[in-house]
Amino acid sequence: EAGVAQSPRYKIIEKRQSVAFWCNPISGHATLYWYQQILGQGPKLLIQFQNNGVVDDSQLPKDRFSAERLKGVDSTLKIQPAKLEDSAVYLCASSLSPTSGRDEQFFGPGTRLTVL
Amino acid sequence: LAKTTQPISMDSYEGQEVNITCSHNNIATNDYITWYQQFPSQGPRFIIQGYKTKVTNEVASLFIPADRKSSTLSLPRVSLSDTAVYYCLVGDSFNAGNMLTFGGGTRLMVKP
């Protein structure tokens, strides 16, 4: 079974530029998550989708971050414009069950973003 | 919102049992407790999940007291490859606004 795919794996941009990350979850997984992990910290949930609807985006900085999952499958996370403090690893995860918190999240390898 | 607190780091030796405790005083009724393992440059990997009492699988056990305000991950007979960061996650992914909260993680170092 293929895992969660993310691209690119690494990205270096200058502040005020825009960047987009792509995630393809495990086939059949209804729930998709985007996390931000700053070096030395635990992952912080940015947004959670169930199929193509947003379940939770309370920690997403909506003035600069946006995410979509138009067909309920793959997803894109965008930052526009980027700030220095956005340097982090952006992790995508997916899970099977759409109705319960008691399921396992499968994480992708992450995209390491460096903002100069 | 359920916030978690874990020890920042722990050291152990190969073959020993390791117990990592997570405190989550504000856990909600619908919240589950999940533990993940993370190696450098990789995404977290699921270890075990539970709601109450004790859960055991092939790699770990999870002990949850009746008040559910803490939980303990038990790793039997650790090896060098168990050196990683371990995260305690509390939440219910179905309810909007009940955020899935990772703790700061516990950095486990297993020595030969």
Side-chain angles (χ1 to χ4, degrees):
Chain A
E1 175 183 86
V4 176
Q6 290 188 248
S7 68
R9 291 296 311 278
Y10 305 92
K11 189 73 177 180
I12 300 174
I13 61 172
E14 295 188 349
K15 60 183 179 183
R16 291 188 289 274
Q17 286 187 323
S18 301
V19 64
F21 312 125
W22 174 81
C23 172
N24 190 28
I26 293 173
S27 178
H29 281 196
T31 310
L32 185 147
Y33 315 78
W34 282 103
Y35 289 88
Q36 179 193 60
Q37 185 171 27
I38 294 172
L39 186 64
Q41 298 181 16
K44 182 181 84 170
L45 180 68
L46 293 176
I47 189 167
Q48 176 189 344
F49 292 96
Q50 183 173 305
N51 297 309
N52 61 349
V54 176
V55 174
D56 186 347
D57 64 355
S58 55
Q59 294 200 107
L60 185 73
K62 299 180 185 65
D63 58 334
R64 298 184 301 106
F65 286 64
S66 65
E68 61 183 12
R69 192 185 184 199
L70 293 177
K71 296 183 178 180
V73 181
D74 57 350
S75 175
T76 303
L77 176 69
K78 297 180 181 178
I79 307 175
Q80 179 179 0
K83 294 185 176 181
L84 297 177
E85 59 261 35
D86 298 332
S87 293
V89 175
Y90 290 85
L91 294 162
C92 179
S94 68
S95 65
L96 179 62
S97 172
T99 58
S100 169
R102 59 178 188 271
D103 60 347
E104 173 182 351
Q105 293 183 54
F106 293 83
F107 284 81
T111 296
R112 182 177 299 276
L113 173 67
T114 302
V115 182
L116 302 176
Chain B
L1 302 172
K3 180 180 178 181
T4 60
T5 303
Q6 303 173 233
I8 294 174
S9 64
M10 295 180 68
D11 289 344
S12 183
Y13 291 92
E14 282 190 293
Q16 288 188 332
E17 178 184 76
V18 171
N19 295 308
I20 306 174
T21 298
C22 178
S23 173
H24 28 80
N25 291 319
N26 295 327
I27 189 168
T29 302
N30 294 331
D31 286 346
Y32 281 76
I33 301 156
T34 313
W35 285 81
Y36 285 83
Q37 176 192 56
Q38 187 175 28
F39 297 112
S41 301
Q42 295 185 22
R45 185 178 70 172
F46 175 92
I47 301 174
I48 197 166
Q49 185 177 67
Y51 184 81
K52 61 181 179 180
T53 63
K54 177 183 175 182
V55 180
T56 298
N57 62 22
E58 63 275 10
V59 298
S61 294
L62 178 60
F63 299 92
I64 305 169
D67 66 6
R68 304 202 325 123
K69 293 186 176 181
S70 66
S71 58
T72 299
L73 174 71
S74 181
L75 304 172
R77 298 180 298 281
V78 294
S79 64
L80 296 177
S81 62
D82 292 318
T83 293
V85 179
Y86 292 81
Y87 292 101
C88 169
L89 176 64
V90 174
D92 173 0
S93 65
F94 182 62
N95 291 314
N98 186 347
M99 290 188 297
L100 296 170
T101 307
F102 276 82
T106 298
R107 191 172 301 274
L108 174 65
M109 174 69 71
V110 180
K111 302 175 183 178

